[in-house]
Amino acid sequence: MEGLALGAIILLVTAVVVLAALLHHQSVHAFNLQNALEESDSRRREISNFLNRFSAGIKGDEGFFGAMNAAAIHIGEQTDSESVAIYIMEGSELRCVSVYGTYPLVRTANKLVFTRRRHLLETLRGEKIAPGDGFLGGIIISRLAEQVPCGADDERFRSYPECRNLAGIMAVPMLRDGAIIGVICAVGNRNRPSKPFSENQFERLKLLAPQVLMVHNLVMAYGEISRRDRIDQELELARLLQQSLLPKSNPDWGEFSIRAYSRSAKEVNGDFYDFIRIDEDRMLVVIADACGKGIPACMLTAMTRSVGRSLIDNFTTLHDFLCKLSDKLNRDTDADRFITLGCCLLNKKDMLLEFARAGHTDLVTFVHNHIRIMSPRGAALGILPARLVKFDTICIAIEPGTTVMMYSDGFTEAINAEGKEFGQDQLVETFENACSGKNSLEEVVDIMARRIIDYEESQSDDQTLVLIRRN
């Protein structure tokens, strides 16, 4: 019995010791967990405050620089630094984008730069720091954080007029995938003036660097989104402008029927077509192709259309019209801007068609199951001054059933998966087959458009087609 009692006592004591140990471990674990939670919550609040300050900065008038200025202020407050500068890599060099406090690492002896933050920042932005250039240039090469106890004793700061007054300095690189994006530099320990920064302050700056890099990335992404939004708005405006300039419908002019088709390679079109009524009997049918693509080409087509329509009130001959149009564009556009144009002057009274072109594609006619190609001479509009331009014209009688095709080179220069151009021969053959099948003009347009879409691997140029038929 005594043995059993002794064993029970030993077992009870052992259980109490184990239970006490478990309770102590849980208490320590809970204490550590509480500390971790408090530290995590503090870090969360810090980052939240930082992002709120960053958001307020980027919404201000300064945009990117306002956001980076907010980051510099935050760093100065969190590290107890007298001054902070944030540098971003531009090409292979550092350039300051924000400053907090009276930052002394500036290469000018003019004391006036320190009287206003704006003056100091403008001066710092004008200074580029190359790899190996002094202390900051060394950070570019080493990609390592560094703390300097006293800048006045360091040869790397001799190029700064304020070097004799320098105390503690610390700098941390901002790295992304091993590449240096920028450098944060803090000068002057606010807690202990003229003394080095503490290790805690240095570690604090290292912890803040990723936050600043995050700000930089967010600002760049924000700027890219804003830039794209602006581009989208400009493209939409250009597209709407272009749509407003194109004819609202395909006209029937006496016995003539006209149909048009246009397909852009980009958001806006560098081709255009127009139907301009001159008088009761005459109409000018125009097709044009501006050099380049996108908005610049769209603007040139809009200008050409506007100028062309302004000349119609004093229209005399097709040759005179093209000379005046070319001269106007030559005087009002850059030397590298030009536009090719083809135009047919329809006369519904005499059933005549007069054709001229300015560097544009040929005119193709289908009549009595035969193809005829017309290629009058004439340089693109806007290239030469008035005294040097000359345009040949061709006038033909249009018989019933005749179909005329005007097109831009986006059709003939369409490229398939093997890298071969569609070419004029295939275009003319497609046109001939479509007309031989006694198809309507709408059907001919659809056949030719579908043929090109099926042929090319991807569209690389604007494509415009205008068909005229005498019924």
Side-chain angles (χ1 to χ4, degrees):
M1 290 293 293
E2 291 181 358
L4 289 173
L6 180 61
I9 292 172
I10 293 173
L11 183 61
L12 179 61
V13 170
T14 302
V16 169
V17 170
V18 170
L19 179 60
L22 287 172
L23 289 173
H24 175 72
H25 175 74
Q26 289 179 354
S27 177
V28 171
H29 178 70
F31 177 77
N32 291 337
L33 181 60
Q34 181 65 28
N35 283 345
L37 289 173
E38 289 177 357
E39 183 178 349
S40 175
D41 188 55
S42 176
R43 181 63 55 82
R44 181 190 61 78
R45 286 196 305 271
E46 176 188 312
I47 293 176
S48 177
N49 291 337
F50 179 52
L51 290 176
N52 287 335
R53 175 174 275 171
F54 150 69
S55 298
I58 198 172
K59 289 178 181 177
D61 294 337
E62 290 188 289
F64 168 76
F65 294 108
M68 300 309 288
N69 179 56
I73 294 173
H74 182 76
I75 292 169
E77 293 175 351
Q78 293 297 314
T79 61
D80 291 315
S81 302
E82 291 182 351
S83 63
V84 174
I86 299 177
Y87 297 83
I88 297 297
M89 293 296 295
E90 291 187 2
S92 62
E93 299 173 315
L94 283 176
R95 177 169 287 183
C96 183
V97 294
S98 65
V99 65
Y100 162 75
T102 308
Y103 184 74
L105 300 187
V106 56
R107 293 188 173 103
T108 178
N110 186 354
K111 299 289 186 179
L112 291 176
V113 300
F114 299 107
T115 61
R116 294 283 189 277
R117 175 187 170 273
R118 177 171 57 86
H119 298 330
L120 178 58
L121 184 55
E122 287 177 354
T123 303
L124 285 167
R125 285 178 182 172
E127 296 180 354
K128 295 180 180 180
I129 301 172
D133 182 6
F135 172 70
L136 293 171
I139 301 289
I140 300 176
I141 296 175
S142 70
R143 290 172 169 75
L144 297 174
E146 186 173 352
Q147 182 181 182
V148 178
C150 181
D153 300 331
D154 196 313
E155 292 291 333
R156 293 173 295 177
F157 297 95
R158 289 291 179 261
S159 62
Y160 298 108
E162 296 293 316
C163 64
R164 283 178 289 185
N165 300 321
L166 295 176
I169 299 169
M170 54 183 179
V172 175
M174 293 183 290
L175 303 175
R176 184 173 62 211
D177 299 329
I180 185 165
I181 305 302
V183 174
I184 306 170
C185 184
V187 180
N189 186 349
R190 193 164 57 224
N191 289 337
R192 298 188 303 163
S194 76
K195 297 295 183 179
F197 285 103
S198 68
E199 192 63 30
N200 183 59
Q201 287 172 301
F202 189 36
E203 290 301 317
R204 190 74 171 157
L205 182 61
K206 291 179 184 178
L207 291 174
L208 288 169
Q211 294 183 23
V212 179
L213 181 59
M214 177 182 64
V215 166
H216 174 269
N217 294 342
L218 286 172
V219 170
M220 291 298 100
Y222 178 85
E224 179 64 17
I225 291 172
S226 297
R227 186 185 69 85
R228 289 179 179 176
D229 286 344
R230 288 194 299 272
I231 291 175
D232 289 342
Q233 290 173 2
E234 291 172 358
L235 288 172
E236 179 63 14
L237 178 62
R239 188 182 66 81
L240 292 174
L241 171 63
Q242 191 170 57
Q243 286 183 345
S244 70
L245 296 178
L246 291 177
K248 298 297 185 293
S249 61
N250 295 310
D252 290 323
W253 187 247
E255 296 182 32
F256 293 112
S257 294
I258 306 170
R259 299 294 181 267
Y261 164 86
S262 190
R263 178 169 170 249
S264 302
K266 293 185 177 295
E267 291 83 354
V268 291
N269 203 329
D271 290 358
F272 88 99
Y273 61 90
D274 201 6
F275 314 130
I276 310 172
R277 177 175 171 175
I278 299 173
D279 52 37
E280 289 297 323
D281 295 319
R282 295 179 299 170
M283 174 182 286
L284 192 63
V285 180
V286 177
I287 184 172
D289 180 3
C291 67
K293 301 179 184 68
I295 290 179
C298 174
M299 294 299 100
L300 183 55
T301 61
M303 179 180 179
T304 303
R305 177 189 181 277
S306 177
V307 174
R309 282 183 166 263
S310 71
L311 296 174
I312 288 298
D313 290 340
N314 299 309
F315 184 90
T316 53
T317 66
L318 195 54
H319 175 270
D320 183 57
F321 169 79
L322 290 176
C323 286
K324 291 178 179 178
L325 182 56
S326 181
D327 182 55
K328 182 66 174 175
L329 294 177
N330 176 257
R331 287 187 282 112
D332 293 348
T333 58
D334 297 333
D336 59 344
R337 291 287 173 190
F338 63 89
I339 186 168
T340 68
L341 181 144
C343 49
C344 288
L345 179 61
L346 299 181
N347 188 321
K348 68 178 181 179
K349 179 181 179 181
D350 300 324
M351 291 300 153
L352 297 176
L353 180 150
E354 186 178 4
F355 174 69
R357 64 174 183 167
H360 202 69
T361 55
D362 298 330
L363 183 76
V364 183
T365 65
F366 175 85
V367 57
H368 300 314
N369 292 321
H370 291 287
I371 289 290
R372 181 182 177 188
I373 299 175
M374 303 178 194
S375 310
R377 293 178 299 174
L381 302 176
I383 295 179
L384 301 173
R387 67 181 185 278
L388 298 178
V389 296
K390 183 179 180 181
F391 300 96
D392 291 342
T393 62
I394 295 175
C395 187
I396 59 173
I398 301 297
E399 300 179 30
T402 300
T403 304
V404 177
M405 176 175 68
M406 305 165 72
Y407 61 93
S408 66
D409 58 14
F411 276 86
T412 54
E413 294 178 1
I415 298 175
N416 65 8
E418 287 74 39
K420 295 181 179 179
E421 286 190 351
F422 189 71
Q424 188 183 55
D425 289 344
Q426 287 196 74
L427 181 69
V428 171
E429 180 183 357
T430 304
F431 174 64
E432 182 178 13
N433 291 338
C435 292
S436 298
K438 300 186 183 304
N439 293 294
S440 67
L441 274 189
E442 290 82 359
E443 291 171 333
V444 175
V445 169
D446 185 65
I447 289 170
M448 300 191 67
R450 179 54 53 189
R451 178 74 176 89
I452 293 296
I453 292 172
D454 292 342
Y455 180 85
E456 64 184 354
E457 184 177 27
S458 61
Q459 186 180 2
S460 60
D461 197 4
D462 303 321
Q463 298 166 354
T464 300
L465 181 74
V466 178
L467 300 182
I468 304 169
R469 174 177 288 174
R470 182 182 174 187
N471 300 315

